[in-house]
Amino acid sequence: MTEFAYKVKGTDKELIVATTRLETMLGDVAVAVHPDDPRYKDLIGKELEHPFCPDRKMTVIADPVLVIMEFGTGAVKVTPAHDHNDYKCGKRNGLDFITVFDEDGKINHIGGSQF
């Protein structure tokens, strides 16, 4: 698994996630934590900064279905338009579903302005 951090807007804090599919982070719209996890209680509802999409709204959400506190970092990046479990999480939490590829399979402007 690869770990990387999303910066919490307006602070020096970072929220570290672990993933086997780093490339899907271009479509991330949230990071989910377990509502009972004391490590992240103070971050629920906070906004995050996406490193490639500075205008994208990203929020820390509480989702006891998606997150297993003891697995990885206990924080799960959420890409609703990519993964079946993330899709269900997105529906439960009213998240945006974005597509980062164009019809030719290239990264579009939604996936990051430098692409």
Side-chain angles (χ1 to χ4, degrees):
M1 293 190 44
T2 301
E3 291 185 359
F4 71 95
Y6 279 117
K7 190 168 174 16
V8 179
K9 253 186 196 173
T11 74
D12 291 332
K13 292 183 180 182
E14 293 183 329
L15 182 53
I16 298 172
V17 298
T19 182
T20 58
R21 299 288 310 271
L22 181 60
E23 68 277 12
T24 64
M25 64 92 64
L26 294 175
D28 287 355
V29 297
V31 172
V33 297
H34 196 283
D36 297 332
D37 194 331
R39 297 174 292 178
Y40 303 120
K41 276 200 179 282
D42 65 324
L43 295 179
I44 296 171
K46 300 285 185 189
E47 286 189 50
L48 302 172
E49 295 177 15
H50 194 289
F52 300 117
C53 309
D55 296 332
R56 181 171 305 160
K57 182 179 182 208
M58 284 194 64
T59 308
V60 181
I61 61 169
D63 193 302
V65 177
L66 183 66
V67 180
I68 300 169
M69 281 192 290
E70 301 79 19
F71 184 74
T73 63
V76 179
K77 56 186 233 48
V78 184
T79 315
H82 166 72
D83 177 86
H84 182 69
N85 291 320
D86 288 10
Y87 174 85
K88 291 193 287 187
C89 174
K91 287 291 193 184
R92 279 192 304 274
N93 292 283
L95 300 177
D96 290 335
F97 289 70
I98 59 171
T99 301
V100 298
F101 296 106
D102 65 18
E103 291 185 19
D104 295 322
K106 296 178 183 171
I107 306 290
N108 64 23
H109 68 284
I110 299 169
S113 60
Q114 67 276 21
F115 299 104

